[in-house]
Amino acid sequence: MIYITRRECFNAAHKLFRPDWSEAENLERFGKCANPNWHGHNYVLFVTVKGEIDPKTGYCANLKDLSSLIRTCVIDQLDHKNLNLDVAFMKDKMTSTEVVAIEIWKQLEGPVAGLGCKMHCVKLVETENNYVEYYG
Amino acid sequence: MIYITRRECFNAAHKLFRPDWSEAENLERFGKCANPNWHGHNYVLFVTVKGEIDPKTGYCANLKDLSSLIRTCVIDQLDHKNLNLDVAFMKDKMTSTEVVAIEIWKQLEGPVAGLGCKMHCVKLVETENNYVEYYG
Amino acid sequence: MIYITRRECFNAAHKLFRPDWSEAENLERFGKCANPNWHGHNYVLFVTVKGEIDPKTGYCANLKDLSSLIRTCVIDQLDHKNLNLDVAFMKDKMTSTEVVAIEIWKQLEGPVAGLGCKMHCVKLVETENNYVEYYG
Amino acid sequence: MIYITRRECFNAAHKLFRPDWSEAENLERFGKCANPNWHGHNYVLFVTVKGEIDPKTGYCANLKDLSSLIRTCVIDQLDHKNLNLDVAFMKDKMTSTEVVAIEIWKQLEGPVAGLGCKMHCVKLVETENNYVEYYG
Amino acid sequence: MIYITRRECFNAAHKLFRPDWSEAENLERFGKCANPNWHGHNYVLFVTVKGEIDPKTGYCANLKDLSSLIRTCVIDQLDHKNLNLDVAFMKDKMTSTEVVAIEIWKQLEGPVAGLGCKMHCVKLVETENNYVEYYG
Amino acid sequence: MIYITRRECFNAAHKLFRPDWSEAENLERFGKCANPNWHGHNYVLFVTVKGEIDPKTGYCANLKDLSSLIRTCVIDQLDHKNLNLDVAFMKDKMTSTEVVAIEIWKQLEGPVAGLGCKMHCVKLVETENNYVEYYG
């Protein structure tokens, strides 16, 4: 068993707020992240898959295929978008790094199985000071 | 003469568009950056000042003072904000990295002189793949 | 279960030596790290906690609270200090990266439980070429 | 139990191809990596070992010894070399990141045991966008 | 006048040697870089251009155009190639970082002028420990 | 004319204080940096030299020679040392980043001329948030 990781980036706007809370309540719980007019990040996504090595190619997974799959299923939906408004798979969800990481996992789990390997980890870096890891 | 640089970060939303152009025209000229619902970045700002060394302290500028000044004049206005909507000194301006860098310079030039040194460069990093430098 | 990591930095002096060994013996075992007049590092600390996601906020832990807690319990004790002389929780201990990481874990374990999540890992980076991970 | 990691770098040429496949077939499967005249990388190797802490030194492993061992067993064989042509332990093997990581593990497993600790992970970074981890 | 920089990467093999010198002489002058079977690097290229800001767009140069131009004129020639054997504009030249940087400048100077701005600097990073800058 | 830069690292302890000032005065002017028992940093040094390219080698300067020279003249004096107590060329000087950078320049200027090129810049990075540049 070997683990292979692909890094992809996306730049997006978001805010953390609940429409069922007052603006004051949102600011109290989410601080600056509740700014009504949004803020944004250069998100860095690390997708780790695991599997056996194909003795013919030496590959666990073809990185070009893995990259294409991540771009189609995830990056194209998120890059230069508003995570709260523009993304079908984030509809009616909080856009915390935790929730975004889990939803990215859900987008990738099936397609990655089609490459002959299994999802191991989604790591989502929001700033140089914080990131989330989800293992399913 | 010696040059000293302080790094500060801010996370912001923005978009590149002209209200006097059609949405199609904006998308053609600005591509994904014109997304109507905004996108965002982890901006990294490097402010370089120059001056003589104070023989008593060995300092060109006290970094704590320089950092406070940058935070008060720039970061507090930009961090977790929408560059197009929330920032007084960006009002009615394009929010390209070039223009933001120049407006940051204007905010800092006077106050930096008050520290006894001179502005040398504002470097503004928008993504790992692009940045702008302005020397006044 | 999800894992969330916060990065914090501190700059400190230390040396590796045992007062019950001769200076020669210390130099032989610890090399340059035994320099009698100390040396120092920009330490980078990654604290990973794990827990369930609060469906209301989308948070596993509020990063602002986690950061405050790490600063109060750890960074304020270590930053711009001498690890051998100035730090109560390092008294009479070797200041190897391994031991510092374990003592940081001990400082954080109780307070992190108070945030409603559990400690998962303390990663302490001493230089770009070496780091330690402790999982309790 | 504690985990300690040492980073070492090497710069090498390689290509991905099978002499029993046609050049067209190699290009189809391996893309640009099959370029007949080679290409190359700045590989970054992270070796993680685990063990108990020696209460006298505070060390799990002496990093200087660990570094020397990695350099002798691995870096000296790989640095400024052609992974397909110059490296005894890669003879007749595919030079994918996956296979190189596993072969590095095999070189290190015995010698690391001689230091009184155990191999935990070989992480091999080929580019900023991809890396492999092997845990034995 | 403002300066804007675009980063692009390429992975390539090369060696430093003169066919009119003996292998021993090459090894003496170029050390490990003269390895007959090549070695390689993840090169990182920073291209800085300068110009006036277009008041309509806020752009000095459209980064998408600049990136396309760098990819067409430089990256497509160098990426996953052997700098000594595969690159028309390096024919019969030494492949030191210095010479590669200058030849990259020559490829870009004309096309960059076509974007309405001027070349300012080519910075070519060969390893984390060394890079070259050329200003024409 | 071309510019070539070599990076070298050193880990050192220091403090900012004047023995002719009271401890309170030192703390007021230098803040945490005046901690009596020292603190420390992983300093990163970038030395940039300039010159013509030798058409035979393609080199402006042989990096191996430049690295040896920097290690002998600078790194061996500073690494794992106390900048205030252990370094002959820092005797009776403030150990601010500014002053250390200038003193490093003085150590290197003569020897670099001996390599057939000229000093251009000493850049000294104290933390990820601040650095100094000196051009002579």
Side-chain angles (χ1 to χ4, degrees), chain E residues 47-94:
Chain E
V47 176
T48 304
V49 302
K50 59 187 170 188
E52 304 292 329
I53 291 181
D54 175 339
K56 283 225 173 99
T57 58
Y59 280 167
C60 162
N62 186 314
L63 272 175
K64 209 174 154 184
D65 296 341
L66 180 58
S67 173
S68 295
L69 183 158
I70 300 170
R71 286 178 188 236
T72 306
C73 300
V74 176
I75 303 299
D76 289 352
Q77 325 302 313
L78 301 177
D79 188 36
H80 283 75
K81 294 288 166 60
N82 184 308
L83 302 183
N84 299 63
L85 301 179
D86 296 333
V87 184
F89 68 73
M90 291 303 300
K91 195 168 157 49
D92 297 327
K93 299 200 171 68
M94 297 302 293

Side-chain angles (χ1 to χ4, degrees), chain B residues 10-75:
Chain B
F10 60 95
N11 308 323
H14 82 137
K15 66 177 167 185
L16 294 176
F17 78 110
R18 295 188 62 85
D20 55 336
W21 289 355
S22 68
E23 196 167 309
E25 207 171 344
N26 275 294
L27 282 163
E28 188 199 320
R29 290 290 277 273
F30 298 120
K32 295 184 296 181
C33 298
N35 181 46
N37 287 327
W38 322 96
H39 67 287
H41 298 290
N42 300 340
Y43 289 91
V44 188
L45 171 66
F46 294 85
V47 176
T48 303
V49 303
K50 58 188 171 188
E52 303 292 328
I53 291 182
D54 175 341
K56 283 224 172 101
T57 57
Y59 280 167
C60 162
N62 186 315
L63 273 175
K64 209 175 154 181
D65 297 340
L66 180 58
S67 173
S68 296
L69 184 157
I70 300 171
R71 286 179 188 236
T72 307
C73 301
V74 176
I75 303 298

Side-chain angles (χ1 to χ4, degrees), chain F residues 109-127:
Chain F
E109 197 170 20
V112 159
L115 292 182
C117 46
K118 287 183 61 177
M119 285 291 289
H120 174 67
C121 183
V122 164
K123 176 178 173 180
L124 184 58
V125 182
E126 194 187 59
T127 74

Side-chain angles (χ1 to χ4, degrees), chain D residues 32-33 35 38-39 41, chain E residues 10-12 78-82 86:
Chain D
K32 295 183 296 181
C33 299
N35 180 47
W38 322 96
H39 66 286
H41 298 289
Chain E
F10 60 94
N11 308 322
L78 301 177
D79 188 36
H80 283 75
K81 294 288 166 60
N82 184 308
D86 296 333

Side-chain angles (χ1 to χ4, degrees), chain A residues 23-44:
Chain A
E23 196 166 310
E25 207 172 345
N26 273 295
L27 282 163
E28 188 199 319
R29 291 290 277 274
F30 298 119
K32 295 183 295 182
C33 299
N35 180 47
N37 286 328
W38 323 96
H39 67 285
H41 298 289
N42 299 340
Y43 289 91
V44 188

